[in-house]
Amino acid sequence: MSIKSIAAKLLAKNIHKKTKAWASKPVETQQKVLNDLIGQAKFTQFGNDHDFANIKNFEDFAAKVPIRDYEALRPYIDKVVKGDENILWKGKPIYFAKTSGTTSGAKYIPLTAASMPFHIEAARNAILSYIHETGKADFVDGKMIFLQGSPILEEKNGIKLGRLSGIVAHFVPKYLQKNRMPSWETNCIEDWETKVNAIVEETLNENMTVISGIPSWVQMYFEKLQQKANQSVGEIFKNFNLFIYGGVNYEPYRAKFENLIGRKVDSIELFPASEGFFAYQDSQKEKGMLLLLNSGIFYEFVKADEFYTEKPKRHTIGEVELGVNYVLIISTNAGLWAYNIGDTIQFTSLKPYRVIVSGRIKHYISAFGEHVIGKEVESALQEAMEGTNVRINEFTVAPQITPKEGLPYHEWFIEFDPEASGEPENLEDFALRIDKAMRKQNTYYDDLIVGNVLRTLVISKVDKNGFQDYMKSIGKLGGQNKLPRLANDRKIADFFSRK
């Protein structure tokens, strides 16, 4: 065992002890976070506008600070972007994480000197938590790759901006820099396909032990490795045993990944966003990710089916229930206040508080009142694949309201993996398997099928690399960009219908 792996185990033990301390006092921890946030921002413009000086508890906060999305908070953010100080948080941000919104155009999410360290610590602590639980630390001596956006940053009114993953690249600890890949020069390549090809060349003969990224883009990297070496990824990287991912559910990709790798590897799920690092998988045995209650973020939870009512109830951590679909609302030390990030979550454990990401509040299908969410389509597909050789590369779902004949239906666009003999022998039978799993999960969908309002779902096969072509067509190939699992319209569906 190397000195580095011994040191990692010692640090892991220390971090586990600290994590256990705040996780065992969730309500008190969150109350302290809220008090600290209010105290720090009391004399900002937002604090003055919302009477922070007279907020004594959560009830006061909820009464004075309404839930907002980016557009509603934009008048304040625009002032911050212009260079004004003490607007949402003390002073100015040190970065803007630039994201693309569907209705807002470019979105500028502030990152402050107070918030930035938590992004780095959470990613580190996820790995340390894995080391503490499993006792496995030898991987720290190998090479690690993080597939991410370019670290080249622009500047706006004296504040640097870029993709969050590119900003984070500037904060890699010194003890990881020798192990980290790809090279800085390769990481700066903007074109995703060119970048992945360069990463393949750089890593092919290295001792890769940890690989991290959004599954769909890591899959692209794996396929190119396999084509180049004519070997499985596991044969190329004999010591590769840990995959770290975030952004999307890994389960629909797991069978495909294990086929590409040639064996099972451990995985760690992360829940990062430009607005904050919210959770990470702290156990290989338990379902869900540990919600980070001591990281400068105060959480509120609104039941998804009540969210669009006039005055939805805002729940704090001590009031949540297992299995309920909640819209996640955050207030942070980056100056976001009662902010709707758009994600929905469900709790899998209350001691400690663990969550899964169930979807997006705006990404659902309810063309007929069925309100199907991302978690349901992912779980249904996973269940349908069990006991089969079916492998999928990617998928998305959309309603077909006006078919040329017959009843309306949900149309599933699926890119199967023919190279791994991953296509179902009978497409209609496979569609029935998915449909059965969907009806079991969603009673509204089942009622619509029984009542002859909808017919059984229809699968439309997508050609190999079809989803990559779609993402390229909208300028979102690679990096941290994710394909929506489902939509209530046919914007994505029309791209494939035209082909």
Side-chain angles (χ1 to χ4, degrees), residues 462-497:
V462 173
D463 293 339
K464 184 171 173 59
N465 299 326
F467 285 103
Q468 289 182 23
D469 292 342
Y470 168 74
M471 294 299 277
K472 188 188 291 186
S473 76
I474 61 170
K476 291 190 176 183
L477 184 68
Q480 302 306 108
N481 297 308
K482 297 164 283 190
L483 176 80
R485 277 283 171 257
L486 70 181
N488 209 35
D489 56 43
R490 290 186 61 83
K491 287 179 183 176
I492 300 174
D494 287 345
F495 175 85
F496 295 109
S497 299

Side-chain angles (χ1 to χ4, degrees), residues 205-349:
N205 297 310
E206 296 287 349
N207 177 30
M208 303 303 303
T209 56
V210 177
I211 296 172
S212 175
I214 290 178
S216 50
W217 306 126
V218 174
Q219 179 179 309
M220 184 178 177
Y221 166 58
F222 282 175
E223 288 172 340
K224 288 180 179 292
L225 277 169
Q226 197 176 56
Q227 290 164 10
K228 179 80 176 176
N230 200 26
Q231 290 179 298
S232 70
V233 174
E235 290 174 311
I236 299 167
F237 304 139
K238 291 183 168 44
N239 296 316
F240 165 49
N241 281 298
L242 182 59
F243 173 50
I244 304 173
Y245 67 96
V248 298
N249 184 1
Y250 178 44
E251 292 309 315
Y253 299 94
R254 190 178 291 276
K256 168 73 174 180
F257 266 57
E258 289 175 0
N259 182 267
L260 284 167
I261 298 165
R263 63 172 185 269
K264 292 184 178 182
V265 299
D266 287 348
S267 60
I268 303 173
E269 183 176 7
L270 310 177
F271 184 11
S274 299
E275 297 86 351
F277 202 123
F278 308 123
Y280 61 73
Q281 183 181 346
D282 68 318
S283 174
Q284 294 291 302
K285 301 168 188 171
E286 303 295 333
K287 184 180 180 182
M289 296 173 282
L290 182 71
L291 189 64
L292 303 180
L293 304 176
N294 195 37
S295 295
I297 302 170
F298 178 75
Y299 300 97
E300 299 175 61
F301 312 91
V302 177
K303 291 180 179 178
D305 57 6
E306 298 175 4
F307 186 71
Y308 290 111
T309 59
E310 189 176 344
K311 283 190 177 179
K313 180 169 173 52
R314 295 159 67 170
H315 300 270
T316 56
I317 194 67
E319 302 170 313
V320 297
E321 305 167 57
L322 292 173
V324 175
N325 205 37
Y326 291 104
V327 180
L328 187 62
I329 308 298
I330 60 168
S331 297
T332 78
N333 53 8
L336 301 177
W337 299 101
Y339 185 85
N340 170 23
I341 65 168
D343 286 323
T344 58
I345 56 103
Q346 293 179 6
F347 285 89
T348 60
S349 165

Side-chain angles (χ1 to χ4, degrees), residues 51-63:
D51 196 21
F52 275 19
N54 289 309
I55 292 178
K56 306 300 180 190
N57 51 42
F58 170 68
E59 288 70 27
D60 292 342
F61 178 78

Side-chain angles (χ1 to χ4, degrees), residues 63-320:
K64 294 176 185 292
V65 184
I67 293 173
R68 288 176 166 93
D69 57 13
Y70 186 86
E71 278 302 302
L73 197 63
R74 190 166 193 156
Y76 291 98
I77 293 178
D78 283 348
K79 290 182 180 180
V80 180
V81 172
K82 197 172 70 174
D84 292 354
E85 295 188 16
N86 303 316
I87 304 299
L88 289 164
W89 192 254
K90 295 183 300 182
K92 292 183 180 183
I94 54 173
Y95 296 100
F96 289 118
K98 188 178 179 182
T99 68
S100 53
T102 52
T103 58
S104 309
K107 295 165 68 174
Y108 297 91
I109 307 298
L111 296 165
T112 64
S115 70
M116 196 65 218
F118 287 112
H119 285 271
I120 311 307
E121 285 178 16
R124 179 203 67 181
N125 290 353
I127 297 174
L128 291 173
S129 180
Y130 170 82
I131 291 172
H132 179 79
E133 183 191 32
T134 65
K136 299 174 183 175
D138 289 346
F139 64 84
V140 301
D141 296 311
K143 298 285 188 178
M144 306 179 188
I145 189 168
F146 300 90
L147 294 181
Q148 56 193 190
S150 170
I152 296 174
L153 304 179
E154 303 170 51
E155 196 167 292
K156 197 171 185 72
N157 297 321
I159 300 172
K160 291 182 178 179
L161 66 94
R163 293 280 182 178
L164 176 66
S165 61
I167 293 169
V168 169
H170 291 262
F171 288 84
V172 176
K174 286 184 179 178
Y175 61 84
L176 280 182
Q177 285 176 3
K178 288 184 180 179
N179 300 61
R180 185 179 180 277
M181 297 194 81
S183 65
W184 184 267
E185 293 73 23
T186 295
N187 215 15
C188 290
I189 297 172
E190 292 288 348
D191 180 75
W192 185 252
E193 289 175 294
T194 305
K195 181 174 185 169
V196 173
N197 287 330
I199 291 172
V200 168
E201 294 296 332
E202 278 193 2
T203 58
L204 194 58
N205 297 310
E206 296 287 349
N207 177 30
M208 303 303 303
T209 56
V210 177
I211 296 172
S212 175
I214 290 178
S216 50
W217 306 126
V218 174
Q219 179 179 309
M220 184 178 177
Y221 166 58
F222 282 175
E223 288 172 340
K224 288 180 179 292
L225 277 169
Q226 197 176 56
Q227 290 164 10
K228 179 80 176 176
N230 200 26
Q231 290 179 298
S232 70
V233 174
E235 290 174 311
I236 299 167
F237 304 139
K238 291 183 168 44
N239 296 316
F240 165 49
N241 281 298
L242 182 59
F243 173 50
I244 304 173
Y245 67 96
V248 298
N249 184 1
Y250 178 44
E251 292 309 315
Y253 299 94
R254 190 178 291 276
K256 168 73 174 180
F257 266 57
E258 289 175 0
N259 182 267
L260 284 167
I261 298 165
R263 63 172 185 269
K264 292 184 178 182
V265 299
D266 287 348
S267 60
I268 303 173
E269 183 176 7
L270 310 177
F271 184 11
S274 299
E275 297 86 351
F277 202 123
F278 308 123
Y280 61 73
Q281 183 181 346
D282 68 318
S283 174
Q284 294 291 302
K285 301 168 188 171
E286 303 295 333
K287 184 180 180 182
M289 296 173 282
L290 182 71
L291 189 64
L292 303 180
L293 304 176
N294 195 37
S295 295
I297 302 170
F298 178 75
Y299 300 97
E300 299 175 61
F301 312 91
V302 177
K303 291 180 179 178
D305 57 6
E306 298 175 4
F307 186 71
Y308 290 111
T309 59
E310 189 176 344
K311 283 190 177 179
K313 180 169 173 52
R314 295 159 67 170
H315 300 270
T316 56
I317 194 67
E319 302 170 313
V320 297

Side-chain angles (χ1 to χ4, degrees), residues 446-454:
D446 183 55
D447 289 343
L448 291 167
I449 298 287
V450 172
N452 288 321
V453 177
L454 292 178

